[in-house]
Amino acid sequence: AKLCNKDEVTNQCDFRSTVVLDEDIPCDGECNADRSRWRISMPCECSIDEPRTVRIDHSPNLAPVWYEYVRQPCIQLAFPEDGHMKTVREIGENTDYGNKAMCADTRLPVAGTACCDKNGQNPIHICVFKGDRVSYSTSEERCAAYGGTTCAWSTVPINGGCGTDTAYNQGSYSEDSSPGLRFLWSSQPCSMSVQISPDGNVAIIHKAGTINVKERVAIDTGTYFGVLWGGDGSYPTVSSSNCGSCEVHESTCVCPAIAVTSAVFDGSQGMPTMNELVSQLHIGAPDPNSFDGTYSLCTAPMCLNNADYNVFSTTAVSNDASIADAFDDQTIFEVNGLFLSNTASIVDIGDGYTFRNPPMYNSPIDQTQRDALYETDAILQHYVDHPNTAPFISTKLIQHLVTSNPSPRYVKVVADAFRTGTYTSGGYTFGKGNYGDMEACVAAILLDREARSSTLDDDAISGRAREPLLKVMHMMRSMELSTESGAKREVDMIYLTSRGLGQESFNAPSVFSFFLSEYQPVGPALNKGVVAPETQLFDAPKLISFMNGLFSLPAFGLTDCQWWQGFGSDRARYWITDYPDGGYFDCGSAETEQPGVPLRLRWKPPSWGGETNVNNAPPSQIIDEVDLLLTGGRLHPSNKAIMEQVYNSANSGINPDSKSLKAVISHFAATPEFHITNNLMNSRVTTTATRPTPDISTPPNPAPVTDYRAIVYLYMDGAMDSYSALVPMNCYLNQQYVSVRGDIAIKSGLLPIDASTSDQPCDDFGLHPSLSNIHSLYNDGDASFIANVGPLIKTMDKYEFEAGSKPQPMALFAHNTQTQITQTVFAQDASAGGVLGRIGDSINNREGSDVFDAYSISGTPKVLEGAPSVSKPADVLSGSGVADFIPKAGTFEANIEALSENVVTSIYGETFSVSMTNAIYRTRLLDEVIGNVTLDEDSCFTNAGTDLADQFEQVARIIKSRDGLEAKRDVFYVSIGGFDTHSDNGPVLTNLLSQIDDSISCFASEMKSQGVWSNVTVISASEFGRTLTSNGLGTDHAWGGNHFIAGGSVAGGRIHGQYPDDITDDGILNIGRGRLIPTTPWEGVWKGISEWFGVEIQNMGSVLPNLSNFASNIFDAADLFQSSLFR
């Protein structure tokens, strides 16, 4: 009846796709297992250990309906106790796929039944239904009933009637066959061991005498995982104890594993406390009510007086005198809705070493998708329930909704609401009391005093900067973007990133979104030690693109008018149902407000009294109404005065009121107030200071720059698999490479290079087949490689790493932190300035004037950050060149500049104003100097057709303009992403390296044409290397990597540093999975480059604070460059 769900009208079953039973369904009938199912008298539901499918015969005229039985989540322990293990044998005679053994827990229904006669001969397979899995005791009972016994170890023929062919009627058994019954019980004893890696991870090893075991539980082919070691956390290693009494196997220890399970609480000390339960019970249990009366709730006064948890035992306990009877290894505690078993299970491997017996959902014998999903759900639930989750999510939500720098109190209030699922304010309670309730969490965020206090609006660090997409949507909604008839139309907000906005739905550049939550812009935010994440998008191309879009929107509507600078697409210029004749409107007609523009801003100030200013409302009133909608009434008086001038100046000619309103709306997009959420100026500050005007004058006939130097920093974002870029050849190390790298090893097509003069473990190396141009540069003496370089604080080997005896860089293997550390070259302080910025500061201090310029052609990287009082901010360009205002915005450039001319108290407002001012002035300068520059290799860059080639082209244009810019020292940042190749075993990397190779080739040719190739050094970098071992699809995060430097003065044709001489697990640098500790710190490379660039040796400590920590692999300019060219 439960499964049928009979329809009362039709009297037919109304089968549902999923049925959740609220009670057990009684089984029907018993029978003995047989070799042929058709010889079994049905029904015999009570003779199986666990159902897999249920057939419903609901009508004599209709086909039966089948349900799959989906067992509730249930864990098992990885190591059964002694006496609970037998060998199961894989079905099949093919030794590649079948005929192998595993150890199974005899209590679990994971294998089928093979019976032999009393003499242990004539094996047959018996079952009740196809694919029947039973426990070992059931298997014994079935064999006894059949007149035999379980088999010791004999080949069991495949029997289709019992489902032992996993690809039934589809050919022979293979690893790729469809799922089915894979193993049969045997009486063969077995045991388990563990293989312990040098870093303390373990792999499960099964042993069944001399019988071959499955690869997943065999020595050297098992899967390693972390365990919780007992005592002080120590474990046997080859290096520390020669594995003690365990077996030494290469760099690992193989130890016998004995599982011991016992009760944690025995009642002798009375009732355990809540803290004792939570801290000592680590094994879950089923709901005791599911055992059909087996368990009783303890009703003794000691139990009833305890309100924190309930105790369920197999012995009924109603008085305190018998309280000890409530505690044994079968006891279940209910704690906050969770059920915990009163057991602890440890694995003893001898010599006093133990670890907690790991729980698992999926049986190593009978693996199912169902249990894999349960395990995935469990680990996700573990992350959700982690104590850090609530404050982490709360902080992120507060940062996005209210303020970038919430107080600890604020975070705690919101985190408490997240945990408890309720929040009360003003007599109202929000949320339903569930963990993670978003209603409670958001209410706590928006109703807290830090979100609502007007006093805090004056605080410099309260509030936040606003992200671009929200500002665009705010403008559209507040100013009523709509059709003339009111007909609904989908807004096409695509390609915003390529238009320079810096943000677009569903198109984040990385897992860290569009900006880093820990970003600290140079200026007041960095000085105060606070963050301003959204200001990472306040670079010149993005700010100017934003202004262009917001000046286009009021004038033309949501279109692509004025060189694709609007936020709409060309499709937005098609008429819609307002005008059934259809058509395509002209941008000129849109500007003059002729009908036909589908989507335009249609808001009119209430003070107008109509479509025009029929009430003659004064400009101040109109601006106040716009101000209320766009900045919440926070427009500073000085900027309001500018707005009144804008309104009055535009109020003439045809449609004067509309022209004035459009001008004001556009200008609001340029006010700092529109880009932030706190007050621009503290209300108690009555005077304002004007920001100094940047000097962008250039001499009419500049003298040629002498002693010019430039560094181009090529950043490969995502962690480049650099051990596919530089590969050992023709020596023992190549054999290791092929073995360790497996499916990602490059075995053919490598481009050979000579390293015989480089003191490396091999004389021959090969470059990735995609690096043909860099290969030529190396052979021509214009490029060299740095082997196994990465962030370090002190040199170390894997034993020092494992012991933690030396300081390590923060958050190893984390993209965001390692990006910061790689670019700061200060591994213990990710918040430090960038290494190129510090180099520039040193140069400017030495010269006593500003001779250093920094340029980014890709965002706002950490590497260019210097001291604000020493070096000017980096100029940010795009691959398209200098960002410029469209005519509609350019007409008002002076007004845009004036809106940001005052020094303000808000750190977000000041950051915007400084960024906007610098963008305007530096754009004027760069546009004047490099706007019309042509290159000899323009066609090369164009034919390359990649964003990276465009970036290098802009670098080349600036270098060619060095005389006009009066530049003596330039640094450039270019980047290419996509290197986080967890799911790529080659093709993605090949494409990315091809882009790099083509770009470097065009750039080197252009520099040679300009005669400055010897004045330029290109250096590659990435946040870390990738694992030497494959994850099956690609590679994962590692540490050391290989990089190159190139230039006309580079001492090329060499590999600097030390390529590891052993990349196996036994290698002194391998900390697991082919993650190699760097042999060369980044300081070693930057010392030589800094010297070449002009940093004096006495100032090297300020540029490279950790330099004195290293005694080897530190390169002088004479090591990296040709001595005749670097001085």
Side-chain angles (χ1 to χ4, degrees), residues 389-400 403-404 406 411 414:
T389 298
F392 177 83
I393 291 178
S394 299
T395 299
K396 299 302 179 186
L397 288 175
I398 294 170
Q399 286 184 315
H400 279 287
T403 177
S404 296
V411 172
V414 177

Side-chain angles (χ1 to χ4, degrees), residues 350-370:
D351 299 330
Y353 296 113
T354 64
F355 59 84
R356 188 189 301 171
N357 199 348
M360 59 175 65
Y361 281 83
N362 223 330
S363 165
I365 313 299
D366 191 28
Q367 298 170 325
T368 67
Q369 182 187 55
R370 170 202 66 201

Side-chain angles (χ1 to χ4, degrees), residues 312-396:
F312 294 87
S313 60
T314 55
T315 301
V317 176
S318 58
N319 59 77
D320 291 347
S322 304
I323 196 66
D325 295 338
F327 297 93
D328 57 22
D329 58 3
Q330 299 297 309
T331 301
I332 296 176
F333 294 93
E334 182 183 12
V335 182
N336 296 328
L338 297 176
F339 297 101
L340 299 174
S341 173
N342 183 37
T343 54
S345 184
I346 64 167
V347 178
D348 191 330
I349 62 171
D351 299 330
Y353 296 113
T354 64
F355 59 84
R356 188 189 301 171
N357 199 348
M360 59 175 65
Y361 281 83
N362 223 330
S363 165
I365 313 299
D366 191 28
Q367 298 170 325
T368 67
Q369 182 187 55
R370 170 202 66 201
D371 290 335
L373 293 173
Y374 282 152
E375 188 152 354
T376 301
D377 286 342
I379 191 63
L380 291 176
Q381 191 63 49
H382 174 76
Y383 291 145
V384 169
D385 292 336
H386 192 279
N388 288 349
T389 298
F392 177 83
I393 291 178
S394 299
T395 299
K396 299 302 179 186

